[in-house]
Amino acid sequence: MSIAITGATGKLGTLILSHLLDHIPARDIIACARNPQAMNAYQERGVAIRFCDYDQAASLAHAFQGVSQLLLISSPILDNAARLQQHSQVIAAAKQASVSHILYTGFAFPTPGASSLADLHLATEQAILDTGIPFTFLRNALYIDFVGSLPLHSAVANGCLTVPPGDWRFNAVSRADLAKGIAAVLAEPKKHLNKTYELTASHPWTFQDLTAALSELSGKPLVLQENPDIQSWLYGFLRQINTSSVSRDLEQLLGHPTTVLKESIRPFL
């Protein structure tokens, strides 16, 4: 068995690679990256490092030679049309290389037409289905990192977290939990053929829950306040995606509940 991970130098890719090494021998892992030099530490552990650029078809064809399972980590660029083109090149190269199983990190609970992001991930999944190659769709919920765009430090300083009105509920989860769950799938790929997983927090949480967690971590009393005048790209984006639906898929892959909110946000304080 040979498992290739694209985007291996990214935040999620690096975490997946680290956890995967706890499950299978390094000789069975190929880390594909645009900057192979950044992977020297893993090469020293026995992981094969190959140059891989989503925009260079020739690099993809070479990187996927002899690969059985391929984890395609979604491109990080913001132009969704360009991202789909990149994903399509990866998928075509995987088919050409006779990869026997494609795993893809999409987005949880995508609704067709709801946003260009949802359409991108659904189109990528369809492109994989069209190859006829066995698949596993790993639909990641919103990263907990989004709380870093909220005024957490000023909220602690002022004793008040201010947000727009609304029934805000979140299924956001840490990259660490996602990486552990995805590594568990990669370690036993045959168990997960042709399955789709919605990888979310075990339970949804609210801004009130976030306020309480901030109070606990800071040791200061905080209140939540709604302000209809708040203008931010973040809330517009959050309204376009499904942030509230949850699944126990990730919990089952981990063998335990996902990290609680207070611990998930600790790094952002």
Side-chain angles (χ1 to χ4, degrees), residues 1-268:
M1 179 177 69
S2 178
I3 298 173
I5 300 174
T6 69
T9 55
K11 292 180 180 179
L12 181 62
T14 301
L15 286 170
I16 292 171
L17 182 56
S18 296
H19 290 299
L20 188 58
L21 284 166
D22 293 333
H23 295 282
I24 66 174
R27 64 175 179 274
D28 293 333
I29 303 173
I30 299 169
C32 302
R34 285 188 301 173
N35 182 14
Q37 291 74 24
M39 307 300 293
N40 287 341
Y42 291 101
Q43 189 170 32
E44 291 172 0
R45 296 179 64 179
V47 175
I49 312 298
R50 295 182 183 177
F51 173 68
C52 171
D53 188 323
Y54 290 170
D55 290 316
Q56 298 185 31
S59 75
L60 300 172
H62 178 266
F64 301 158
Q65 288 180 6
V67 169
S68 301
Q69 277 79 36
L70 172 67
L71 173 64
L72 166 55
I73 294 180
S74 177
S75 167
I77 65 172
L78 298 178
D79 184 331
N80 285 325
R83 289 174 80 186
L84 181 58
Q85 177 61 30
Q86 290 180 329
H87 294 171
S88 297
Q89 290 208 139
V90 173
I91 294 164
K95 185 173 183 179
Q96 182 181 1
S98 299
V99 169
S100 58
H101 182 191
I102 299 178
L103 304 94
Y104 173 65
T105 60
F107 199 81
F109 299 105
T111 301
S115 67
S116 60
L117 179 67
D119 290 342
L120 158 77
H121 290 298
L122 289 170
T124 301
E125 290 181 358
Q126 187 59 53
I128 293 171
L129 292 172
D130 289 344
T131 66
I133 298 172
F135 66 91
T136 304
F137 294 147
L138 303 156
R139 293 175 169 176
N140 296 341
L142 187 70
Y143 293 145
I144 195 70
D145 302 50
F146 92 89
V147 302
S149 298
L150 300 175
L152 301 185
H153 291 89
S154 62
V156 171
N158 301 325
C160 178
L161 177 65
T162 305
V163 300
D167 182 22
W168 298 101
R169 297 171 66 82
F170 299 102
N171 55 15
V173 68
S174 71
R175 276 191 179 87
D177 281 344
L178 289 169
K180 289 177 185 177
I182 292 170
V185 172
L186 289 170
E188 298 182 284
K190 291 183 179 179
K191 292 174 56 177
H192 307 283
L193 288 175
N194 299 326
K195 293 185 178 180
T196 298
Y197 295 109
E198 308 288 353
L199 304 181
T200 73
S202 297
H203 306 283
W205 52 271
T206 65
F207 278 135
Q208 189 63 59
D209 296 324
L210 178 60
T211 304
L214 287 173
S215 294
E216 280 194 66
L217 287 170
S218 66
K220 300 178 180 180
L222 272 78
V223 297
L224 179 67
Q225 183 179 65
E226 293 186 343
N227 181 352
D229 295 326
I230 290 179
Q231 300 293 325
S232 170
W233 67 269
L234 176 62
Y235 298 107
F237 169 71
L238 293 174
R239 288 189 174 99
Q240 293 178 14
I241 60 178
N242 185 336
T243 64
S244 59
S245 297
V246 295
S247 160
R248 292 297 178 90
D249 289 348
L250 181 54
E251 180 176 310
Q252 291 173 0
L253 292 173
L254 293 172
H256 55 77
T258 55
T259 305
V260 297
L261 178 61
K262 184 177 77 170
E263 296 307 316
S264 291
I265 68 168
R266 187 185 294 273
F268 302 97

